[in-house]
Amino acid sequence: MGKPSREFQIFVKPAGAACNLDCRYCYYHDKRDLYPDAGGFRMAESLLEEYIVQHIEAASGPDVAFSWHGGEPTTLCVNFFRKAVDLQRKHRPAGWRIQNGIQTNGILLDQEWCRFLASEGFSVGLSLDGPAEMHDPYRVTRGGQPTHQQTMRGYELLRRYEINTDILCVVHNLNVRYPLTVYRFFREIGCRYLGFLPAVERAPEAAHGVSPYTPSAEDYGAFLSKIFDEWIGRDAGRIMVQAFEEAARPALGLEHSLCVFRETCGQIPVLEHNGDFFPCDHYVDREHRLGNIRETPLGELLDSPAQRSFGEAKRDSLPRYCRECEVLAMCNGGCPKYRFTWTPDGQPGLNYLCAGLKRFFLHSRVPLARLAARQQEPAARPPKVTAKVGRNDPCPCGSGLKYKRCCGAR
């Protein structure tokens, strides 16, 4: 099997859409309907090994990254992942390094889980929407009960075991109105890396064409801009905010690392619990199923014409309004899933968040260019460091990026 012609990251869903919560804005709930006869959502051990073998074969090495997502992957219990790590060791070529990341709501984390995650060097993405009054309305149990206290218990366990933890905050119609309250909460709890994910769902039957929990584009832009002003004044280089990392990359001469801002997409496909392959987390449906790794090797699916066409459509379908935009390099039209509105001259395909993203990019462009210029000055460049700075730590140069995405990548 040949190597894919480009780098990739796979969101593997070993438990499918199964989850112990019933978050109101979750876009993955209905994916269970794709498998009405599944009985249970658990990747078979034989398929787990086949996937690991194929993933390693497709990787260029010597670093191989696995990303475990859901649903909620911790519903499979820690022994499933012990087995996964054993299989990775079994099939890892000599001299190669395996990295694992897992996205979780944190509810099921306990000392056994954290001992395992720490000993195996897992990175953890934790879903947390801010303080309780902004987290609990939407992130609830199947019985409708709040979950903030349980999530914070999981977070404190992760900190106690010194596990590298990124926080993912969904931005919805409630917390979007309190940007500094949200940001300061994360700073106060010791967050080192923070991602904001807008909760955008198209709902043509609704009054404004989107779900009630979807923030307005203007509010989202104001949310990012207000946090940016506080961040750049006191926290740049100490707290990494994914949106700000991405906005800085064009000024630093770096390609975007986040798929929604890349010129093309398709580099982060999804592997479902039964081996089905889909081009993107937002396009897991019958129409976009591209195959199954038990029938077609993963490397072929990653480089297939259908996968490439899916990714290139993001660039090729941009309306003229976007192509002529002064911040095109910072945005590239955003996520195709959100391109369901119209440009001022009536063309379809404008991103729902366009006005907000443009406001933020214009607002942050000059300060980020100054930050980039300071970093690129020879006297400002830090000495090469490897032992004292972890790949996911803030870069010592003060760029506000992770070390691995800044000086560590040079």
Side-chain angles (χ1 to χ4, degrees):
M1 180 178 69
K3 303 283 187 183
S5 59
R6 56 182 178 172
E7 294 297 315
F8 62 89
Q9 178 186 5
I10 295 174
F11 282 0
V12 57
K13 315 259 187 177
C19 187
N20 54 334
L21 298 188
D22 191 21
C23 300
R24 305 306 189 205
Y25 50 59
C26 181
Y27 61 86
Y28 215 77
H29 276 165
D30 61 356
K31 308 309 177 186
R32 287 172 289 193
D33 297 339
L34 290 171
Y35 306 101
D37 302 320
F41 293 90
R42 181 186 181 90
M43 182 174 281
E45 186 174 312
S46 60
L47 179 59
L48 175 65
E49 182 165 20
E50 182 64 24
Y51 161 62
I52 288 171
V53 168
Q54 292 191 29
H55 187 125
I56 291 173
E57 287 179 349
S60 57
D63 292 303
V64 186
F66 288 82
S67 300
W68 306 96
H69 279 247
E72 176 50 47
T74 62
T75 58
L76 294 178
C77 83
V78 70
N79 285 337
F80 177 91
F81 291 94
R82 287 196 178 101
K83 183 62 179 179
V85 169
D86 288 343
L87 291 169
Q88 290 170 348
R89 290 195 182 100
K90 175 182 175 182
H91 296 289
R92 178 187 61 194
W96 285 32
R97 297 175 295 274
I98 302 288
Q99 300 161 354
N100 284 284
I102 188 169
Q103 183 68 36
T104 178
N105 56 43
I107 304 297
L108 298 177
L109 295 179
D110 56 17
Q111 293 197 37
E112 181 185 16
W113 261 110
C114 289
R115 281 193 295 268
F116 165 75
L117 295 171
S119 66
E120 298 298 341
F122 271 62
S123 293
V124 174
L126 182 72
S127 298
L128 178 62
D129 291 355
E133 63 271 21
M134 300 176 193
H135 174 100
D136 283 338
Y138 293 140
R139 297 194 64 83
V140 296
T141 67
R142 292 188 173 278
Q145 296 303 305
T147 62
H148 190 268
Q149 185 175 0
Q150 297 173 71
T151 301
M152 288 302 299
R153 180 193 56 79
Y155 175 66
E156 291 303 327
L157 276 171
L158 292 168
R159 294 192 72 192
R160 186 186 311 166
Y161 281 84
E162 299 181 337
I163 295 166
N164 181 63
T165 303
D166 298 348
I167 290 180
L168 179 63
C169 171
V170 174
V171 182
H172 47 71
N173 66 313
L174 301 180
N175 59 8
V176 75
R177 292 176 284 174
Y178 305 97
L180 294 183
T181 300
V182 171
Y183 179 65
R184 289 168 182 171
F185 166 80
F186 288 125
R187 185 170 61 208
E188 288 167 5
I189 66 172
C191 175
R192 298 282 300 281
Y193 188 82
L194 179 59
F196 293 119
L197 177 66
V200 177
E201 182 183 44
R202 189 177 187 181
E205 71 281 358
H208 300 287
V210 292
S211 69
Y213 50 74
T214 298
S216 73
E218 293 77 9
D219 283 348
Y220 185 62
F223 177 90
L224 291 178
S225 298
K226 289 178 181 177
I227 293 175
F228 176 82
D229 289 343
E230 178 142 342
W231 171 84
I232 201 164
R234 60 172 292 172
D235 296 323
R238 188 170 65 89
I239 299 175
M240 293 162 290
V241 181
Q242 188 181 49
F244 307 161
E245 278 196 356
E246 292 299 323
R249 292 182 78 85
L252 291 165
L254 301 173
E255 183 182 6
H256 283 294
S257 61
L258 188 62
C259 61
V260 297
F261 295 134
R262 285 193 170 201
E263 184 179 35
T264 61
C265 58
Q267 296 95 345
I268 310 181
V270 164
L271 189 76
E272 259 288 346
H273 70 289
N274 69 337
D276 283 348
F277 180 95
F278 299 87
C280 167
D281 198 39
H282 287 289
Y283 290 87
V284 176
D285 52 44
R286 290 183 177 86
E287 177 186 355
H288 289 93
R289 179 185 177 275
L290 300 185
N292 188 290
I293 64 168
R294 280 180 159 160
E295 301 162 355
T296 307
L298 181 62
E300 291 184 23
L301 290 167
L302 287 164
D303 234 11
S304 67
Q307 181 71 1
R308 286 194 159 276
S309 176
F310 173 86
E312 291 168 358
K314 176 183 180 180
R315 175 196 61 213
D316 298 342
S317 64
L318 270 179
R320 184 178 63 254
Y321 180 79
C322 294
R323 296 177 191 275
E324 297 173 354
C325 180
E326 59 187 308
V327 294
L328 175 62
M330 302 177 84
C331 173
N332 285 304
C335 181
K337 191 68 174 180
Y338 303 159
R339 293 182 185 177
F340 53 79
T341 59
W342 288 262
T343 66
D345 58 359
Q347 273 192 291
L350 185 68
N351 195 303
Y352 167 80
L353 295 171
C354 173
L357 290 172
K358 188 171 185 178
R359 171 179 175 172
F360 164 65
F361 288 135
L362 290 174
H363 181 80
S364 62
R365 183 168 57 178
V366 171
L368 288 174
R370 290 173 182 157
L371 191 66
R374 288 200 301 271
Q375 183 206 340
Q376 292 168 341
E377 292 173 0
R381 295 294 295 275
K384 185 176 181 180
V385 290
T386 55
K388 294 183 179 180
V389 180
R391 298 178 71 256
N392 292 302
D393 288 339
C395 190
C397 75
S399 66
L401 279 66
K402 286 188 176 183
Y403 177 67
K404 68 181 180 182
R405 293 176 177 170
C406 190
C407 294
R410 294 178 185 275

